[in-house]
Coordinates of all heavy atoms in Angstrom, one line a residue:
L178 N 22.9 14.1 -14.6 CA 23.5 15.3 -15.2 C 22.7 15.7 -16.5 O 22.5 16.9 -16.7 CB 24.9 15.0 -15.5 CG 25.7 16.2 -16.1 CD1 25.8 17.4 -15.1 CD2 27.1 15.8 -16.5
A179 N 22.3 14.8 -17.3 CA 21.6 15.1 -18.5 C 20.3 15.7 -18.1 O 19.9 16.7 -18.8 CB 21.4 13.8 -19.3
S180 N 19.6 15.2 -17.1 CA 18.3 15.8 -16.8 C 18.4 17.2 -16.2 O 17.7 18.1 -16.6 CB 17.6 14.9 -15.7 OG 17.3 13.6 -16.2
A181 N 19.4 17.4 -15.3 CA 19.7 18.7 -14.8 C 20.1 19.7 -15.8 O 19.7 20.9 -15.8 CB 20.7 18.6 -13.7
T182 N 20.9 19.3 -16.8 CA 21.3 20.1 -17.9 C 20.1 20.5 -18.8 O 19.9 21.7 -19.1 CB 22.4 19.5 -18.7 OG1 23.5 19.1 -17.9 CG2 22.8 20.4 -19.9
E183 N 19.3 19.5 -19.1 CA 18.1 19.8 -19.9 C 17.2 20.8 -19.3 O 16.5 21.7 -19.9 CB 17.4 18.5 -20.2 CG 16.2 18.7 -21.1 CD 15.5 17.3 -21.4 OE1 16.0 16.3 -21.0 OE2 14.4 17.4 -22.1
L184 N 17.0 20.7 -17.9 CA 16.1 21.6 -17.2 C 16.8 22.9 -16.8 O 16.2 23.7 -16.2 CB 15.7 20.9 -15.9 CG 14.8 19.7 -16.1 CD1 14.6 18.9 -14.8 CD2 13.4 20.1 -16.6
R185 N 18.1 23.1 -17.2 CA 18.8 24.3 -17.0 C 19.0 24.6 -15.5 O 18.9 25.7 -15.1 CB 18.2 25.5 -17.7 CG 18.2 25.3 -19.2 CD 17.6 26.5 -20.0 NE 17.6 26.3 -21.4 CZ 17.2 27.2 -22.3 NH1 16.7 28.4 -21.8 NH2 17.2 26.9 -23.6
L186 N 19.3 23.5 -14.8 CA 19.4 23.7 -13.3 C 20.9 24.0 -12.9 O 21.2 24.4 -11.8 CB 18.9 22.4 -12.6 CG 17.5 22.1 -12.7 CD1 17.2 20.8 -12.0 CD2 16.6 23.2 -12.2
I187 N 21.8 23.7 -13.8 CA 23.2 23.9 -13.5 C 23.9 24.7 -14.6 O 23.6 24.5 -15.8 CB 24.0 22.6 -13.4 CG1 23.7 21.6 -14.5 CG2 23.6 21.9 -12.1 CD1 24.5 20.3 -14.5
P188 N 24.7 25.7 -14.2 CA 25.3 26.6 -15.3 C 26.4 26.0 -16.0 O 26.7 26.5 -17.1 CB 25.7 27.8 -14.4 CG 25.9 27.3 -13.1 CD 25.0 26.2 -12.9
D189 N 27.1 25.1 -15.4 CA 28.4 24.6 -16.1 C 28.4 23.0 -15.9 O 29.1 22.5 -15.0 CB 29.6 25.2 -15.4 CG 30.9 24.9 -16.1 OD1 30.9 24.1 -17.0 OD2 31.9 25.6 -15.8
P190 N 27.7 22.3 -16.8 CA 27.8 20.8 -16.7 C 29.2 20.2 -16.8 O 29.5 19.2 -16.2 CB 26.9 20.4 -17.9 CG 26.0 21.6 -18.2 CD 26.9 22.8 -17.9
D191 N 30.0 20.9 -17.6 CA 31.4 20.3 -17.7 C 32.2 20.4 -16.4 O 32.9 19.4 -16.1 CB 32.2 21.1 -18.8 CG 31.6 20.9 -20.2 OD1 31.0 19.8 -20.4 OD2 31.9 21.7 -21.1
A192 N 31.9 21.4 -15.6 CA 32.6 21.5 -14.3 C 32.1 20.4 -13.4 O 32.9 19.8 -12.6 CB 32.4 22.9 -13.7
V193 N 30.8 20.1 -13.5 CA 30.3 19.0 -12.6 C 30.8 17.7 -13.1 O 31.2 16.9 -12.3 CB 28.7 19.0 -12.7 CG1 28.1 17.9 -11.9 CG2 28.1 20.3 -12.3
R194 N 30.9 17.5 -14.4 CA 31.5 16.3 -14.9 C 32.9 16.1 -14.5 O 33.4 15.0 -14.2 CB 31.3 16.2 -16.4 CG 31.7 14.9 -17.1 CD 31.5 14.9 -18.6 NE 30.0 15.0 -18.9 CZ 29.5 16.1 -19.4 NH1 30.2 17.2 -19.6 NH2 28.2 16.1 -19.7
A195 N 33.7 17.2 -14.5 CA 35.1 17.1 -14.1 C 35.2 16.6 -12.6 O 36.1 15.8 -12.3 CB 35.8 18.4 -14.3
V196 N 34.4 17.1 -11.7 CA 34.4 16.6 -10.3 C 34.1 15.1 -10.3 O 34.8 14.4 -9.6 CB 33.4 17.4 -9.5 CG1 33.4 16.9 -8.1 CG2 33.8 18.9 -9.5
W197 N 33.1 14.7 -11.0 CA 32.7 13.3 -11.0 C 33.8 12.4 -11.6 O 34.2 11.4 -11.0 CB 31.4 13.1 -11.8 CG 31.2 11.6 -12.1 CD1 31.5 10.9 -13.2 CD2 30.6 10.7 -11.1 NE1 31.1 9.6 -13.0 CE2 30.6 9.4 -11.7 CE3 30.1 10.9 -9.8 CZ2 30.1 8.3 -11.1 CZ3 29.6 9.7 -9.2 CH2 29.6 8.5 -9.8
D198 N 34.4 12.8 -12.7 CA 35.4 12.0 -13.3 C 36.6 11.8 -12.4 O 37.2 10.7 -12.3 CB 35.9 12.7 -14.6 CG 34.9 12.6 -15.8 OD1 33.9 11.8 -15.6 OD2 35.0 13.3 -16.8
D199 N 37.0 12.9 -11.7 CA 38.1 12.7 -10.7 C 37.7 11.7 -9.6 O 38.5 10.9 -9.2 CB 38.5 14.1 -10.1 CG 39.6 14.0 -9.1 OD1 40.7 13.7 -9.5 OD2 39.3 14.1 -7.9
A200 N 36.5 11.9 -9.1 CA 36.1 11.0 -8.0 C 36.0 9.5 -8.5 O 36.4 8.6 -7.8 CB 34.7 11.4 -7.5
A201 N 35.4 9.3 -9.7 CA 35.3 8.0 -10.2 C 36.6 7.3 -10.5 O 36.7 6.0 -10.5 CB 34.4 8.0 -11.5
A202 N 37.6 8.1 -10.8 CA 39.0 7.5 -11.1 C 39.7 7.2 -9.8 O 40.8 6.5 -9.9 CB 39.8 8.5 -11.9
A203 N 39.2 7.5 -8.6 CA 39.9 7.2 -7.4 C 39.9 5.7 -7.1 O 38.9 5.1 -7.4 CB 39.3 8.0 -6.2
P204 N 40.9 5.2 -6.5 CA 40.9 3.8 -6.1 C 39.7 3.5 -5.2 O 39.3 4.3 -4.4 CB 42.2 3.6 -5.4 CG 43.1 4.7 -5.9 CD 42.2 5.8 -6.1
D205 N 39.2 2.2 -5.3 CA 38.1 1.8 -4.5 C 38.5 1.6 -3.0 O 39.7 1.5 -2.7 CB 37.5 0.4 -4.9 CG 36.8 0.6 -6.2 OD1 36.3 1.7 -6.6 OD2 36.6 -0.5 -6.9
W206 N 37.5 1.6 -2.1 CA 37.8 1.4 -0.7 C 38.3 0.0 -0.5 O 37.8 -1.0 -1.0 CB 36.5 1.5 0.1 CG 36.5 1.2 1.5 CD1 35.9 0.2 2.2 CD2 37.2 1.9 2.6 NE1 36.1 0.2 3.5 CE2 36.9 1.3 3.8 CE3 38.0 3.1 2.6 CZ2 37.4 1.7 5.0 CZ3 38.5 3.5 3.8 CH2 38.2 2.9 5.0
A207 N 39.4 -0.1 0.2 CA 40.1 -1.4 0.5 C 40.0 -1.8 1.9 O 40.5 -2.9 2.3 CB 41.5 -1.4 0.0
G208 N 39.4 -1.0 2.8 CA 39.3 -1.3 4.2 C 38.1 -2.2 4.5 O 37.4 -2.6 3.6
P209 N 37.9 -2.4 5.8 CA 36.7 -3.2 6.2 C 35.4 -2.4 6.0 O 35.4 -1.2 5.9 CB 36.9 -3.4 7.7 CG 37.8 -2.2 8.1 CD 38.7 -1.9 7.0
A210 N 34.3 -3.2 5.8 CA 33.0 -2.5 5.7 C 32.7 -1.8 7.0 O 32.6 -2.5 8.0 CB 32.0 -3.5 5.3
L211 N 32.4 -0.5 6.9 CA 32.1 0.2 8.1 C 30.6 0.5 8.2 O 30.0 0.6 7.2 CB 32.9 1.6 8.1 CG 34.4 1.5 8.0 CD1 35.0 2.9 8.1 CD2 35.0 0.6 9.1
W212 N 30.1 0.7 9.4 CA 28.7 1.1 9.6 C 28.6 2.5 9.0 O 29.4 3.4 9.2 CB 28.3 1.2 11.0 CG 27.9 -0.1 11.7 CD1 28.6 -0.8 12.7 CD2 26.8 -0.9 11.3 NE1 27.9 -1.9 13.0 CE2 26.8 -2.0 12.2 CE3 25.8 -0.8 10.4 CZ2 25.8 -3.0 12.1 CZ3 24.8 -1.7 10.3 CH2 24.8 -2.8 11.2
L213 N 27.5 2.7 8.2 CA 27.2 3.9 7.5 C 25.7 4.3 7.8 O 24.8 3.5 7.9 CB 27.3 3.8 6.0 CG 28.6 3.2 5.5 CD1 28.5 3.1 3.9 CD2 29.8 4.1 5.9
H214 N 25.5 5.6 7.9 CA 24.1 6.1 7.9 C 23.5 5.9 6.5 O 22.3 5.4 6.4 CB 24.0 7.6 8.3 CG 22.7 8.2 8.3 ND1 22.0 8.6 7.1 CD2 21.8 8.4 9.3 CE1 20.8 9.0 7.4 NE2 20.7 8.9 8.7
G215 N 24.2 6.2 5.5 CA 23.7 5.9 4.1 C 22.9 7.0 3.4 O 22.6 6.9 2.2
D216 N 22.4 8.0 4.2 CA 21.4 8.9 3.6 C 21.5 10.3 4.3 O 20.5 10.9 4.7 CB 20.0 8.4 3.7 CG 19.1 9.0 2.7 OD1 19.5 9.6 1.7 OD2 17.8 8.9 2.9
L217 N 22.7 10.8 4.4 CA 22.9 12.1 5.1 C 22.7 13.3 4.2 O 23.6 14.1 4.0 CB 24.3 12.1 5.7 CG 24.6 11.2 6.9 CD1 26.1 11.2 7.3 CD2 23.7 11.6 8.1
H218 N 21.4 13.5 3.8 CA 21.1 14.7 3.1 C 20.4 15.6 4.1 O 20.1 15.2 5.3 CB 20.2 14.4 1.9 CG 18.9 13.8 2.2 ND1 17.8 14.4 2.8 CD2 18.5 12.5 2.0 CE1 16.8 13.6 2.9 NE2 17.2 12.4 2.5
P219 N 20.2 16.9 3.8 CA 19.7 17.9 4.8 C 18.4 17.6 5.5 O 18.2 18.0 6.6 CB 19.6 19.2 3.9 CG 20.7 19.0 2.9 CD 20.6 17.6 2.5
A220 N 17.5 16.9 4.8 CA 16.2 16.6 5.5 C 16.4 15.5 6.6 O 15.5 15.3 7.4 CB 15.2 16.1 4.5
N221 N 17.5 14.8 6.6 CA 17.8 13.8 7.7 C 18.7 14.2 8.8 O 19.1 13.4 9.6 CB 18.3 12.5 7.0 CG 17.2 11.8 6.2 OD1 16.0 12.0 6.4 ND2 17.6 10.9 5.3
V222 N 19.1 15.5 8.8 CA 20.0 16.0 9.8 C 19.3 17.2 10.5 O 18.7 18.1 9.8 CB 21.3 16.5 9.2 CG1 22.2 17.1 10.3 CG2 22.0 15.2 8.7
L223 N 19.2 17.2 11.8 CA 18.5 18.3 12.5 C 19.4 19.4 13.0 O 20.6 19.1 13.4 CB 17.7 17.7 13.7 CG 16.7 16.5 13.3 CD1 16.1 16.0 14.6 CD2 15.7 17.0 12.3
T224 N 18.9 20.6 13.1 CA 19.7 21.7 13.6 C 19.0 22.4 14.7 O 17.7 22.4 14.8 CB 20.1 22.7 12.5 OG1 18.9 23.3 12.0 CG2 20.8 22.0 11.3
A225 N 19.7 23.1 15.5 CA 19.2 24.0 16.5 C 20.3 25.1 16.8 O 21.5 24.7 16.9 CB 18.8 23.3 17.8
D226 N 19.9 26.3 16.9 CA 20.9 27.4 17.2 C 22.0 27.4 16.2 O 23.2 27.7 16.5 CB 21.4 27.3 18.6 CG 20.3 27.4 19.6 OD1 19.4 28.2 19.4 OD2 20.4 26.7 20.7
G227 N 21.8 27.0 14.9 CA 22.8 27.1 13.9 C 23.7 26.0 13.7 O 24.6 26.0 12.9
T228 N 23.6 24.9 14.6 CA 24.5 23.8 14.5 C 23.7 22.5 14.5 O 22.5 22.5 14.7 CB 25.5 23.8 15.6 OG1 26.5 22.8 15.3 CG2 24.9 23.5 17.0
I229 N 24.4 21.4 14.2 CA 23.8 20.1 14.1 C 23.4 19.6 15.5 O 24.3 19.6 16.4 CB 24.7 19.1 13.4 CG1 24.9 19.6 11.9 CG2 24.1 17.7 13.4 CD1 25.9 18.8 11.1
C230 N 22.2 19.1 15.7 CA 21.8 18.7 17.0 C 21.2 17.3 17.0 O 20.8 16.7 18.1 CB 20.7 19.6 17.6 SG 19.2 19.7 16.7
G231 N 21.1 16.6 15.8 CA 20.6 15.3 15.8 C 20.6 14.7 14.4 O 20.7 15.5 13.4
V232 N 20.5 13.4 14.3 CA 20.5 12.7 13.0 C 19.3 11.7 13.0 O 19.1 11.0 14.0 CB 21.8 12.0 12.7 CG1 21.7 11.3 11.4 CG2 23.0 13.0 12.7
I233 N 18.5 11.8 11.9 CA 17.3 10.9 11.9 C 17.3 10.0 10.7 O 18.2 10.1 9.8 CB 16.0 11.8 11.9 CG1 16.0 12.7 10.8 CG2 16.0 12.5 13.3 CD1 14.7 13.5 10.6
D234 N 16.3 9.2 10.6 CA 16.0 8.3 9.4 C 17.2 7.4 9.1 O 18.0 7.7 8.1 CB 15.6 9.1 8.2 CG 15.0 8.2 7.1 OD1 15.1 7.0 7.3 OD2 14.3 8.8 6.2
F235 N 17.3 6.3 9.8 CA 18.4 5.4 9.6 C 17.9 4.2 8.7 O 18.4 3.1 8.8 CB 18.9 4.8 10.9 CG 19.8 5.8 11.6 CD1 19.4 6.9 12.2 CD2 21.2 5.6 11.6 CE1 20.2 7.8 12.9 CE2 22.1 6.5 12.3 CZ 21.6 7.6 12.9
G236 N 16.9 4.5 7.9 CA 16.4 3.4 7.0 C 17.4 2.9 6.0 O 17.3 1.7 5.6
D237 N 18.4 3.7 5.7 CA 19.4 3.2 4.8 C 20.7 2.8 5.5 O 21.8 2.8 4.9 CB 19.7 4.3 3.7 CG 18.7 4.3 2.6 OD1 18.5 3.3 1.9 OD2 17.9 5.3 2.5
L238 N 20.6 2.6 6.8 CA 21.8 2.1 7.6 C 22.3 0.8 6.8 O 21.6 -0.1 6.5 CB 21.3 1.7 9.0 CG 22.3 1.1 9.9 CD1 23.2 2.3 10.4 CD2 21.7 0.5 11.1
C239 N 23.7 0.8 6.7 CA 24.3 -0.2 5.9 C 25.8 -0.3 6.3 O 26.3 0.5 7.1 CB 24.1 -0.1 4.4 SG 24.8 1.4 3.7
A240 N 26.5 -1.2 5.6 CA 28.0 -1.3 5.8 C 28.7 -1.1 4.5 O 28.2 -1.6 3.4 CB 28.3 -2.6 6.4
G241 N 29.8 -0.4 4.5 CA 30.5 -0.2 3.3 C 31.6 0.9 3.4 O 32.2 1.1 4.4
D242 N 31.8 1.5 2.2 CA 32.8 2.6 2.1 C 32.4 3.9 2.8 O 31.3 4.4 2.5 CB 33.0 2.8 0.6 CG 34.0 3.9 0.2 OD1 34.6 4.5 1.2 OD2 34.1 4.3 -1.0
P243 N 33.2 4.4 3.7 CA 32.8 5.6 4.4 C 32.6 6.8 3.6 O 32.0 7.8 4.0 CB 33.9 5.8 5.5 CG 35.1 5.1 4.9 CD 34.5 3.9 4.2
A244 N 33.2 6.8 2.4 CA 33.0 8.0 1.5 C 31.6 8.3 1.2 O 31.3 9.5 1.1 CB 33.7 7.7 0.1
C245 N 30.7 7.4 1.3 CA 29.3 7.6 1.1 C 28.8 8.6 2.1 O 28.0 9.5 1.8 CB 28.5 6.3 1.2 SG 26.7 6.4 1.0
D246 N 29.2 8.5 3.4 CA 28.8 9.4 4.4 C 29.6 10.7 4.5 O 29.1 11.8 4.8 CB 28.9 8.7 5.8 CG 27.7 7.9 6.1 OD1 26.7 7.8 5.3 OD2 27.7 7.2 7.2
L247 N 30.9 10.6 4.1 CA 31.8 11.7 4.2 C 31.4 12.8 3.2 O 31.8 14.0 3.3 CB 33.2 11.3 4.0 CG 33.8 10.4 5.1 CD1 35.2 10.0 4.7 CD2 33.7 11.0 6.4
A248 N 30.6 12.5 2.2 CA 30.0 13.5 1.3 C 29.2 14.5 2.0 O 29.1 15.7 1.5 CB 29.1 12.8 0.3
A249 N 28.8 14.2 3.2 CA 28.0 15.2 4.0 C 28.7 16.5 4.3 O 28.1 17.5 4.5 CB 27.5 14.6 5.3
A250 N 30.0 16.5 4.3 CA 30.8 17.7 4.5 C 30.5 18.8 3.5 O 30.4 20.0 3.9 CB 32.3 17.4 4.5
W251 N 30.2 18.4 2.3 CA 29.9 19.4 1.2 C 28.4 19.6 1.2 O 28.0 20.7 0.8 CB 30.4 18.9 -0.1 CG 31.9 18.9 -0.2 CD1 32.7 20.0 -0.5 CD2 32.8 17.8 0.0 NE1 34.0 19.6 -0.4 CE2 34.1 18.3 -0.1 CE3 32.6 16.5 0.3 CZ2 35.2 17.5 0.0 CZ3 33.7 15.6 0.5 CH2 35.0 16.1 0.3
I252 N 27.6 18.6 1.6 CA 26.2 18.7 1.5 C 25.6 19.6 2.6 O 24.6 20.3 2.4 CB 25.5 17.3 1.5 CG1 26.0 16.5 0.3 CG2 24.0 17.4 1.5 CD1 25.6 17.1 -1.1
L253 N 26.1 19.4 3.8 CA 25.5 20.0 5.0 C 26.2 21.3 5.5 O 25.5 22.1 6.2 CB 25.5 19.0 6.1 CG 24.7 17.7 5.9 CD1 25.0 16.7 7.0 CD2 23.2 18.0 5.9
L254 N 27.5 21.4 5.4 CA 28.3 22.4 6.0 C 28.4 23.7 5.2 O 28.5 23.6 3.9 CB 29.6 21.9 6.4 CG 29.6 20.7 7.4 CD1 31.1 20.2 7.6 CD2 28.9 21.0 8.7
P255 N 28.5 24.8 5.8 CA 28.7 26.1 5.0 C 30.0 26.1 4.3 O 31.0 25.4 4.6 CB 28.6 27.2 6.1 CG 28.0 26.5 7.3 CD 28.4 25.1 7.2
D256 N 30.2 27.1 3.4 CA 31.4 27.3 2.7 C 32.6 27.4 3.7 O 32.5 28.1 4.7 CB 31.3 28.6 1.9 CG 30.3 28.5 0.8 OD1 29.7 27.5 0.6 OD2 30.1 29.5 0.0
G257 N 33.7 26.8 3.3 CA 34.9 27.0 4.1 C 35.1 26.2 5.3 O 36.1 26.3 6.0
T258 N 34.1 25.2 5.6 CA 34.2 24.4 6.8 C 34.5 23.0 6.6 O 34.7 22.2 7.5 CB 32.9 24.6 7.6 OG1 31.8 24.3 6.8 CG2 32.8 26.0 8.2

Side-chain angles (χ1 to χ4, degrees):
L178 182 63
S180 295
T182 302
E183 181 179 355
L184 293 167
R185 299 183 179 180
L186 298 179
I187 50 178
D189 191 348
D191 289 339
V193 178
R194 188 178 294 107
V196 175
W197 170 263
D198 288 346
D199 178 72
D205 288 342
W206 175 247
L211 305 183
W212 277 116
L213 311 176
H214 179 279
D216 201 19
L217 285 174
H218 61 75
N221 287 340
V222 175
L223 302 180
T224 65
D226 299 323
T228 190
I229 295 172
C230 67
V232 179
I233 59 174
D234 195 348
F235 283 74
D237 281 298
L238 182 72
C239 62
D242 177 5
C245 179
D246 279 355
L247 296 178
W251 292 277
I252 298 297
L253 296 170
L254 300 176
D256 295 358
T258 50

